[in-house]
Amino acid sequence: MTTEPVLPRVRPEIAALPPYKQGKPAAPDGFKLSSNENPFEPLPGVVEAVRGAVTLNRYPDATAGRLRQALGERYGVEADEVIVGAGSVALIAAFIQAAAGHGDEVVYPWRSFEAYPGLVMVAGASSVQVPNLANGRHDLDAMAAAITDKTRIVIVCTPNNPTGPIVTSAEFADFVEKVPSDVMILLDEAYTEFVTDDDAVDGLAERVYESRPNIVVLRTFSKAYGLAALRVGYAIGHRRVLDAARATQIPLSVTAQAEEAALASLEYEPELRARVAEIAVRREALVTGLREAGWQVPDAQSNFVWLPTTDPSVAAAFEEAGLVVRPFPDGIRISVGEEASRERILDVARRLRA
Ligand SMILES: *Cc1c(COP(=O)(O)O)cnc(C)c1O
């Protein structure tokens, strides 16, 4: 008989959390379409920039100053109105830690980014999940109505991961009017570069944080820029609001290599944009094919599509075909990847509907 060792005590709500599960790697002839990764290899210039960052014995620049400067110039803000983190998920964590603790609430749409519930719990705060509309869009009226004097943060995710639709500029402006000015709004735009709908809110182009210092816009280099492995994202907003996240952020977590890669990516913007445009074309072809096969696919404005289903055999059928997808209790998210993956997805999708 083996006896269980006595383990150190941790917070009960943490002990109850399931550990993070990454999508399995795909078989050699399969496709990994479970993490919304960019299917393209990095641009040669970006690889060179990383190779050039060979100082490994020194800590990186703690605030990624050159990258903040470059992003500031690009978006017409001061460098201290930009914060860089080890992926935008690290920044979301830092803002939640800074604003919401025990007894406080964070309101967000559901289903949305799977990281939100865990980040709220780790901060000791409570989640208030507002169900999406049947078409996968945020129910912004219900979200506004869910705000109480306990609310410290409300998160808007556009395009929404994993359901796909955007929030429009008009909808966002209307929503912001209903949010008390002392409640932080995190506008999570992780997929904004893939958007082709002109009505979509674009927090940086519209400078939404200017008249409303409670709004913080979050972006990442992981998705459109294809730097998921390096972990680098950023947020733009009022400098004093960002100061709160600077205080809670884990110091020195953005590596020198990540900063160099991000800087180089900004230099190769046209090449990267061409790839993003290609992914948007593939996405449209995939959505059209799935709808023709009889699936109710919500509007998709990112690099993934959402198949609403509660039937566990659907995910199994994709896996058997060598397609690693991301199953959820109420649907399946499939990333837009290699061109050759589409016919295989559509074959399975048609078979399931036949
Ligand atoms: C991928 C993603 C992020 C950030 O990812 P990082 O790799 O941490 O930058 C943020 N929000 C949503 C909704 C995402 O899907």
Side-chain angles (χ1 to χ4, degrees):
M1 198 179 91
T2 55
T3 49
E4 288 286 322
V6 176
L7 299 175
R9 285 206 275 187
V10 298
R11 286 156 54 195
E13 68 275 24
I14 301 296
L17 281 179
Y20 178 75
K21 259 181 43 211
Q22 194 159 27
K24 306 182 195 95
D29 61 341
F31 296 102
K32 181 171 183 284
L33 306 171
S34 54
S35 298
N36 299 342
E37 292 153 342
N38 196 310
F40 295 109
E41 300 269 317
L43 292 166
V46 175
V47 176
E48 263 164 45
V50 176
R51 286 223 177 96
V54 291
T55 302
L56 301 182
N57 56 320
R58 304 286 177 197
Y59 282 111
D61 172 5
T63 73
R66 287 161 56 229
L67 181 55
R68 286 187 301 111
Q69 188 68 40
L71 289 166
E73 279 162 21
R74 180 190 171 104
Y75 293 112
V77 298
E78 297 296 325
D80 64 354
E81 294 167 316
V82 184
I83 180 172
V84 175
S88 64
V89 74
L91 292 170
I92 297 168
F95 283 108
I96 294 175
Q97 291 277 352
H102 188 72
D104 300 330
E105 293 179 349
V106 180
V107 172
Y108 54 88
W110 200 248
R111 183 166 297 281
S112 189
F113 187 29
E114 352 160 26
Y116 299 151
L119 298 178
V120 173
M121 179 189 286
V122 169
S126 304
S127 283
V128 177
Q129 300 183 333
V130 178
N132 290 319
L133 301 170
N135 57 10
R137 303 177 76 99
H138 289 17
D139 187 343
L140 291 165
D141 289 337
M143 285 172 62
I147 295 172
T148 68
D149 52 9
K150 291 185 181 161
T151 310
R152 293 293 170 273
I153 295 189
V154 48
I155 306 176
V156 172
C157 182
T158 174
N160 188 47
N161 175 14
T163 59
I166 49 120
V167 170
T168 68
S169 298
E171 287 166 343
F172 185 71
D174 190 50
F175 175 71
V176 162
E177 290 293 323
K178 299 178 191 155
V179 178
S181 51
D182 62 352
V183 171
M184 190 185 300
I185 301 174
L186 296 181
L187 181 57
D188 186 346
E189 296 190 333
Y191 299 95
T192 194
E193 296 87 355
F194 298 105
V195 170
T196 50
D197 181 339
D198 292 338
D199 292 336
V201 66
D202 178 329
L204 298 187
E206 296 173 42
R207 306 177 74 86
V208 293
Y209 46 82
E210 225 162 36
S211 56
R212 299 271 176 182
N214 58 324
I215 304 177
V216 176
V217 183
L218 292 131
R219 300 267 177 106
T220 177
F221 285 94
S222 295
K223 308 287 167 45
Y225 292 89
L227 298 182
L230 284 168
R231 317 300 307 122
V232 54
Y234 59 99
I236 292 184
H238 192 284
R239 53 173 64 79
R240 292 211 355 255
V241 177
L242 301 193
D243 280 345
R246 291 190 252 267
T248 55
Q249 209 178 11
I250 293 174
L252 297 156
S253 51
V254 178
T255 66
Q257 291 70 24
E259 185 181 12
E260 290 301 340
L263 281 164
S265 298
L266 296 174
E267 299 289 320
Y268 293 99
E269 191 77 16
E271 292 86 342
L272 284 161
R273 290 287 168 161
R275 293 168 162 203
V276 166
E278 167 62 23
I279 292 169
V281 169
R282 293 181 189 178
R283 172 190 77 208
E284 293 310 314
L286 187 57
V287 170
T288 305
L290 289 167
R291 286 182 180 157
E292 281 169 6
W295 289 89
Q296 302 255 326
V297 181
D299 189 26
Q301 284 287 308
S302 299
N303 63 341
F304 53 82
V305 298
W306 176 248
L307 297 188
T309 177
T310 52
D311 178 354
S313 71
V314 173
F318 283 106
E319 296 230 342
E320 274 159 35
L323 298 162
V324 183
V325 299
R326 180 66 63 101
F328 294 95
D330 48 350
I332 287 171
R333 191 190 67 199
I334 307 177
S335 307
V336 179
E338 291 78 0
E339 175 73 3
S341 64
R342 182 171 56 251
E343 266 320 301
R344 213 187 291 183
I345 297 168
L346 293 178
D347 277 346
V348 176
R350 289 185 199 111
R351 246 192 303 123
L352 287 165
R353 273 289 178 258

mmCIF file with all atom_site columns, all heavy atoms in Angstrom, residues 106-121:
data_model
loop_
_atom_site.group_PDB
_atom_site.id
_atom_site.type_symbol
_atom_site.label_atom_id
_atom_site.label_alt_id
_atom_site.label_comp_id
_atom_site.label_asym_id
_atom_site.label_entity_id
_atom_site.label_seq_id
_atom_site.pdbx_PDB_ins_code
_atom_site.Cartn_x
_atom_site.Cartn_y
_atom_site.Cartn_z
_atom_site.occupancy
_atom_site.B_iso_or_equiv
_atom_site.pdbx_formal_charge
_atom_site.auth_seq_id
_atom_site.auth_comp_id
_atom_site.auth_asym_id
_atom_site.auth_atom_id
_atom_site.pdbx_PDB_model_num
ATOM 1   N N   . VAL A 1 106 ? -15.760 40.906 -10.983 1.00 0.00 ? 106 VAL A N   1
ATOM 2   C CA  . VAL A 1 106 ? -15.319 41.164 -12.366 1.00 0.00 ? 106 VAL A CA  1
ATOM 3   C C   . VAL A 1 106 ? -16.406 40.615 -13.288 1.00 0.00 ? 106 VAL A C   1
ATOM 4   O O   . VAL A 1 106 ? -16.747 39.426 -13.215 1.00 0.00 ? 106 VAL A O   1
ATOM 5   C CB  . VAL A 1 106 ? -13.962 40.495 -12.656 1.00 0.00 ? 106 VAL A CB  1
ATOM 6   C CG1 . VAL A 1 106 ? -13.533 40.770 -14.098 1.00 0.00 ? 106 VAL A CG1 1
ATOM 7   C CG2 . VAL A 1 106 ? -12.893 40.990 -11.671 1.00 0.00 ? 106 VAL A CG2 1
ATOM 8   N N   . VAL A 1 107 ? -16.938 41.493 -14.103 1.00 0.00 ? 107 VAL A N   1
ATOM 9   C CA  . VAL A 1 107 ? -18.028 41.123 -15.018 1.00 0.00 ? 107 VAL A CA  1
ATOM 10  C C   . VAL A 1 107 ? -17.433 40.852 -16.390 1.00 0.00 ? 107 VAL A C   1
ATOM 11  O O   . VAL A 1 107 ? -16.618 41.639 -16.884 1.00 0.00 ? 107 VAL A O   1
ATOM 12  C CB  . VAL A 1 107 ? -19.055 42.277 -15.124 1.00 0.00 ? 107 VAL A CB  1
ATOM 13  C CG1 . VAL A 1 107 ? -20.083 42.008 -16.217 1.00 0.00 ? 107 VAL A CG1 1
ATOM 14  C CG2 . VAL A 1 107 ? -19.737 42.519 -13.779 1.00 0.00 ? 107 VAL A CG2 1
ATOM 15  N N   . TYR A 1 108 ? -17.797 39.726 -16.987 1.00 0.00 ? 108 TYR A N   1
ATOM 16  C CA  . TYR A 1 108 ? -17.338 39.464 -18.359 1.00 0.00 ? 108 TYR A CA  1
ATOM 17  C C   . TYR A 1 108 ? -18.340 38.571 -19.074 1.00 0.00 ? 108 TYR A C   1
ATOM 18  O O   . TYR A 1 108 ? -19.156 37.897 -18.438 1.00 0.00 ? 108 TYR A O   1
ATOM 19  C CB  . TYR A 1 108 ? -15.924 38.856 -18.363 1.00 0.00 ? 108 TYR A CB  1
ATOM 20  C CG  . TYR A 1 108 ? -15.722 37.614 -17.513 1.00 0.00 ? 108 TYR A CG  1
ATOM 21  C CD1 . TYR A 1 108 ? -15.961 36.343 -18.014 1.00 0.00 ? 108 TYR A CD1 1
ATOM 22  C CD2 . TYR A 1 108 ? -15.263 37.738 -16.200 1.00 0.00 ? 108 TYR A CD2 1
ATOM 23  C CE1 . TYR A 1 108 ? -15.754 35.214 -17.227 1.00 0.00 ? 108 TYR A CE1 1
ATOM 24  C CE2 . TYR A 1 108 ? -15.066 36.610 -15.404 1.00 0.00 ? 108 TYR A CE2 1
ATOM 25  C CZ  . TYR A 1 108 ? -15.305 35.351 -15.929 1.00 0.00 ? 108 TYR A CZ  1
ATOM 26  O OH  . TYR A 1 108 ? -15.110 34.241 -15.143 1.00 0.00 ? 108 TYR A OH  1
ATOM 27  N N   . PRO A 1 109 ? -18.283 38.565 -20.413 1.00 0.00 ? 109 PRO A N   1
ATOM 28  C CA  . PRO A 1 109 ? -19.220 37.738 -21.169 1.00 0.00 ? 109 PRO A CA  1
ATOM 29  C C   . PRO A 1 109 ? -18.847 36.270 -21.018 1.00 0.00 ? 109 PRO A C   1
ATOM 30  O O   . PRO A 1 109 ? -17.692 35.948 -20.734 1.00 0.00 ? 109 PRO A O   1
ATOM 31  C CB  . PRO A 1 109 ? -18.993 38.194 -22.616 1.00 0.00 ? 109 PRO A CB  1
ATOM 32  C CG  . PRO A 1 109 ? -17.581 38.677 -22.632 1.00 0.00 ? 109 PRO A CG  1
ATOM 33  C CD  . PRO A 1 109 ? -17.348 39.290 -21.283 1.00 0.00 ? 109 PRO A CD  1
ATOM 34  N N   . TRP A 1 110 ? -19.816 35.404 -21.220 1.00 0.00 ? 110 TRP A N   1
ATOM 35  C CA  . TRP A 1 110 ? -19.504 33.983 -21.169 1.00 0.00 ? 110 TRP A CA  1
ATOM 36  C C   . TRP A 1 110 ? -20.373 33.248 -22.177 1.00 0.00 ? 110 TRP A C   1
ATOM 37  O O   . TRP A 1 110 ? -21.543 33.534 -22.247 1.00 0.00 ? 110 TRP A O   1
ATOM 38  C CB  . TRP A 1 110 ? -19.698 33.420 -19.758 1.00 0.00 ? 110 TRP A CB  1
ATOM 39  C CG  . TRP A 1 110 ? -18.943 32.125 -19.584 1.00 0.00 ? 110 TRP A CG  1
ATOM 40  C CD1 . TRP A 1 110 ? -19.476 30.873 -19.415 1.00 0.00 ? 110 TRP A CD1 1
ATOM 41  C CD2 . TRP A 1 110 ? -17.511 31.958 -19.588 1.00 0.00 ? 110 TRP A CD2 1
ATOM 42  N NE1 . TRP A 1 110 ? -18.462 29.950 -19.300 1.00 0.00 ? 110 TRP A NE1 1
ATOM 43  C CE2 . TRP A 1 110 ? -17.259 30.589 -19.415 1.00 0.00 ? 110 TRP A CE2 1
ATOM 44  C CE3 . TRP A 1 110 ? -16.431 32.848 -19.754 1.00 0.00 ? 110 TRP A CE3 1
ATOM 45  C CZ2 . TRP A 1 110 ? -15.960 30.066 -19.395 1.00 0.00 ? 110 TRP A CZ2 1
ATOM 46  C CZ3 . TRP A 1 110 ? -15.143 32.340 -19.730 1.00 0.00 ? 110 TRP A CZ3 1
ATOM 47  C CH2 . TRP A 1 110 ? -14.918 30.950 -19.545 1.00 0.00 ? 110 TRP A CH2 1
ATOM 48  N N   . ARG A 1 111 ? -19.842 32.420 -22.997 1.00 0.00 ? 111 ARG A N   1
ATOM 49  C CA  . ARG A 1 111 ? -18.475 31.961 -23.019 1.00 0.00 ? 111 ARG A CA  1
ATOM 50  C C   . ARG A 1 111 ? -17.533 32.980 -23.640 1.00 0.00 ? 111 ARG A C   1
ATOM 51  O O   . ARG A 1 111 ? -17.846 33.607 -24.648 1.00 0.00 ? 111 ARG A O   1
ATOM 52  C CB  . ARG A 1 111 ? -18.415 30.647 -23.823 1.00 0.00 ? 111 ARG A CB  1
ATOM 53  C CG  . ARG A 1 111 ? -17.053 30.007 -23.865 1.00 0.00 ? 111 ARG A CG  1
ATOM 54  C CD  . ARG A 1 111 ? -17.114 28.590 -24.346 1.00 0.00 ? 111 ARG A CD  1
ATOM 55  N NE  . ARG A 1 111 ? -17.854 27.741 -23.495 1.00 0.00 ? 111 ARG A NE  1
ATOM 56  C CZ  . ARG A 1 111 ? -17.405 27.215 -22.361 1.00 0.00 ? 111 ARG A CZ  1
ATOM 57  N NH1 . ARG A 1 111 ? -16.176 27.411 -21.997 1.00 0.00 ? 111 ARG A NH1 1
ATOM 58  N NH2 . ARG A 1 111 ? -18.182 26.492 -21.612 1.00 0.00 ? 111 ARG A NH2 1
ATOM 59  N N   . SER A 1 112 ? -16.328 33.089 -23.005 1.00 0.00 ? 112 SER A N   1
ATOM 60  C CA  . SER A 1 112 ? -15.308 33.958 -23.579 1.00 0.00 ? 112 SER A CA  1
ATOM 61  C C   . SER A 1 112 ? -13.953 33.333 -23.279 1.00 0.00 ? 112 SER A C   1
ATOM 62  O O   . SER A 1 112 ? -13.867 32.114 -23.092 1.00 0.00 ? 112 SER A O   1
ATOM 63  C CB  . SER A 1 112 ? -15.455 35.378 -23.032 1.00 0.00 ? 112 SER A CB  1
ATOM 64  O OG  . SER A 1 112 ? -14.620 36.284 -23.717 1.00 0.00 ? 112 SER A OG  1
ATOM 65  N N   . PHE A 1 113 ? -12.931 34.150 -23.233 1.00 0.00 ? 113 PHE A N   1
ATOM 66  C CA  . PHE A 1 113 ? -11.552 33.642 -23.088 1.00 0.00 ? 113 PHE A CA  1
ATOM 67  C C   . PHE A 1 113 ? -11.439 32.777 -21.829 1.00 0.00 ? 113 PHE A C   1
ATOM 68  O O   . PHE A 1 113 ? -11.778 33.220 -20.720 1.00 0.00 ? 113 PHE A O   1
ATOM 69  C CB  . PHE A 1 113 ? -10.600 34.836 -23.014 1.00 0.00 ? 113 PHE A CB  1
ATOM 70  C CG  . PHE A 1 113 ? -9.137  34.499 -23.036 1.00 0.00 ? 113 PHE A CG  1
ATOM 71  C CD1 . PHE A 1 113 ? -8.637  33.370 -23.672 1.00 0.00 ? 113 PHE A CD1 1
ATOM 72  C CD2 . PHE A 1 113 ? -8.230  35.373 -22.429 1.00 0.00 ? 113 PHE A CD2 1
ATOM 73  C CE1 . PHE A 1 113 ? -7.277  33.091 -23.707 1.00 0.00 ? 113 PHE A CE1 1
ATOM 74  C CE2 . PHE A 1 113 ? -6.865  35.114 -22.458 1.00 0.00 ? 113 PHE A CE2 1
ATOM 75  C CZ  . PHE A 1 113 ? -6.392  33.970 -23.088 1.00 0.00 ? 113 PHE A CZ  1
ATOM 76  N N   . GLU A 1 114 ? -10.938 31.574 -21.999 1.00 0.00 ? 114 GLU A N   1
ATOM 77  C CA  . GLU A 1 114 ? -10.907 30.603 -20.875 1.00 0.00 ? 114 GLU A CA  1
ATOM 78  C C   . GLU A 1 114 ? -10.022 31.051 -19.726 1.00 0.00 ? 114 GLU A C   1
ATOM 79  O O   . GLU A 1 114 ? -10.123 30.507 -18.630 1.00 0.00 ? 114 GLU A O   1
ATOM 80  C CB  . GLU A 1 114 ? -10.402 29.222 -21.318 1.00 0.00 ? 114 GLU A CB  1
ATOM 81  C CG  . GLU A 1 114 ? -10.243 29.119 -22.691 1.00 0.00 ? 114 GLU A CG  1
ATOM 82  C CD  . GLU A 1 114 ? -9.375  28.062 -23.304 1.00 0.00 ? 114 GLU A CD  1
ATOM 83  O OE1 . GLU A 1 114 ? -9.137  27.002 -22.761 1.00 0.00 ? 114 GLU A OE1 1
ATOM 84  O OE2 . GLU A 1 114 ? -8.944  28.395 -24.406 1.00 0.00 ? 114 GLU A OE2 1
ATOM 85  N N   . ALA A 1 115 ? -9.124  31.990 -19.958 1.00 0.00 ? 115 ALA A N   1
ATOM 86  C CA  . ALA A 1 115 ? -8.235  32.434 -18.883 1.00 0.00 ? 115 ALA A CA  1
ATOM 87  C C   . ALA A 1 115 ? -8.953  33.333 -17.875 1.00 0.00 ? 115 ALA A C   1
ATOM 88  O O   . ALA A 1 115 ? -8.520  33.424 -16.720 1.00 0.00 ? 115 ALA A O   1
ATOM 89  C CB  . ALA A 1 115 ? -7.036  33.196 -19.465 1.00 0.00 ? 115 ALA A CB  1
ATOM 90  N N   . TYR A 1 116 ? -10.042 34.001 -18.286 1.00 0.00 ? 116 TYR A N   1
ATOM 91  C CA  . TYR A 1 116 ? -10.633 34.998 -17.376 1.00 0.00 ? 116 TYR A CA  1
ATOM 92  C C   . TYR A 1 116 ? -11.030 34.409 -16.016 1.00 0.00 ? 116 TYR A C   1
ATOM 93  O O   . TYR A 1 116 ? -10.674 34.990 -14.979 1.00 0.00 ? 116 TYR A O   1
ATOM 94  C CB  . TYR A 1 116 ? -11.852 35.693 -18.008 1.00 0.00 ? 116 TYR A CB  1
ATOM 95  C CG  . TYR A 1 116 ? -11.621 36.482 -19.277 1.00 0.00 ? 116 TYR A CG  1
ATOM 96  C CD1 . TYR A 1 116 ? -12.642 36.629 -20.219 1.00 0.00 ? 116 TYR A CD1 1
ATOM 97  C CD2 . TYR A 1 116 ? -10.408 37.100 -19.563 1.00 0.00 ? 116 TYR A CD2 1
ATOM 98  C CE1 . TYR A 1 116 ? -12.473 37.354 -21.385 1.00 0.00 ? 116 TYR A CE1 1
ATOM 99  C CE2 . TYR A 1 116 ? -10.225 37.829 -20.734 1.00 0.00 ? 116 TYR A CE2 1
ATOM 100 C CZ  . TYR A 1 116 ? -11.264 37.950 -21.644 1.00 0.00 ? 116 TYR A CZ  1
ATOM 101 O OH  . TYR A 1 116 ? -11.097 38.664 -22.806 1.00 0.00 ? 116 TYR A OH  1
ATOM 102 N N   . PRO A 1 117 ? -11.784 33.282 -15.974 1.00 0.00 ? 117 PRO A N   1
ATOM 103 C CA  . PRO A 1 117 ? -12.237 32.806 -14.654 1.00 0.00 ? 117 PRO A CA  1
ATOM 104 C C   . PRO A 1 117 ? -11.083 32.529 -13.699 1.00 0.00 ? 117 PRO A C   1
ATOM 105 O O   . PRO A 1 117 ? -11.155 32.907 -12.520 1.00 0.00 ? 117 PRO A O   1
ATOM 106 C CB  . PRO A 1 117 ? -12.998 31.510 -14.979 1.00 0.00 ? 117 PRO A CB  1
ATOM 107 C CG  . PRO A 1 117 ? -13.327 31.583 -16.436 1.00 0.00 ? 117 PRO A CG  1
ATOM 108 C CD  . PRO A 1 117 ? -12.277 32.436 -17.070 1.00 0.00 ? 117 PRO A CD  1
ATOM 109 N N   . GLY A 1 118 ? -10.047 31.894 -14.179 1.00 0.00 ? 118 GLY A N   1
ATOM 110 C CA  . GLY A 1 118 ? -8.908  31.560 -13.313 1.00 0.00 ? 118 GLY A CA  1
ATOM 111 C C   . GLY A 1 118 ? -8.204  32.801 -12.817 1.00 0.00 ? 118 GLY A C   1
ATOM 112 O O   . GLY A 1 118 ? -7.817  32.878 -11.640 1.00 0.00 ? 118 GLY A O   1
ATOM 113 N N   . LEU A 1 119 ? -8.034  33.788 -13.678 1.00 0.00 ? 119 LEU A N   1
ATOM 114 C CA  . LEU A 1 119 ? -7.334  35.011 -13.271 1.00 0.00 ? 119 LEU A CA  1
ATOM 115 C C   . LEU A 1 119 ? -8.122  35.747 -12.186 1.00 0.00 ? 119 LEU A C   1
ATOM 116 O O   . LEU A 1 119 ? -7.545  36.297 -11.239 1.00 0.00 ? 119 LEU A O   1
ATOM 117 C CB  . LEU A 1 119 ? -7.103  35.932 -14.470 1.00 0.00 ? 119 LEU A CB  1
ATOM 118 C CG  . LEU A 1 119 ? -6.229  35.363 -15.602 1.00 0.00 ? 119 LEU A CG  1
ATOM 119 C CD1 . LEU A 1 119 ? -6.117  36.363 -16.744 1.00 0.00 ? 119 LEU A CD1 1
ATOM 120 C CD2 . LEU A 1 119 ? -4.843  34.980 -15.098 1.00 0.00 ? 119 LEU A CD2 1
ATOM 121 N N   . VAL A 1 120 ? -9.438  35.751 -12.316 1.00 0.00 ? 120 VAL A N   1
ATOM 122 C CA  . VAL A 1 120 ? -10.282 36.417 -11.319 1.00 0.00 ? 120 VAL A CA  1
ATOM 123 C C   . VAL A 1 120 ? -10.181 35.672 -9.987  1.00 0.00 ? 120 VAL A C   1
ATOM 124 O O   . VAL A 1 120 ? -10.020 36.276 -8.928  1.00 0.00 ? 120 VAL A O   1
ATOM 125 C CB  . VAL A 1 120 ? -11.750 36.478 -11.811 1.00 0.00 ? 120 VAL A CB  1
ATOM 126 C CG1 . VAL A 1 120 ? -12.668 37.009 -10.707 1.00 0.00 ? 120 VAL A CG1 1
ATOM 127 C CG2 . VAL A 1 120 ? -11.855 37.369 -13.054 1.00 0.00 ? 120 VAL A CG2 1
ATOM 128 N N   . MET A 1 121 ? -10.232 34.340 -10.066 1.00 0.00 ? 121 MET A N   1
ATOM 129 C CA  . MET A 1 121 ? -10.171 33.557 -8.826  1.00 0.00 ? 121 MET A CA  1
ATOM 130 C C   . MET A 1 121 ? -8.833  33.722 -8.122  1.00 0.00 ? 121 MET A C   1
ATOM 131 O O   . MET A 1 121 ? -8.786  33.870 -6.893  1.00 0.00 ? 121 MET A O   1
ATOM 132 C CB  . MET A 1 121 ? -10.410 32.097 -9.139  1.00 0.00 ? 121 MET A CB  1
ATOM 133 C CG  . MET A 1 121 ? -10.318 31.273 -7.883  1.00 0.00 ? 121 MET A CG  1
ATOM 134 S SD  . MET A 1 121 ? -10.331 29.573 -8.246  1.00 0.00 ? 121 MET A SD  1
ATOM 135 C CE  . MET A 1 121 ? -12.041 29.391 -8.645  1.00 0.00 ? 121 MET A CE  1
#
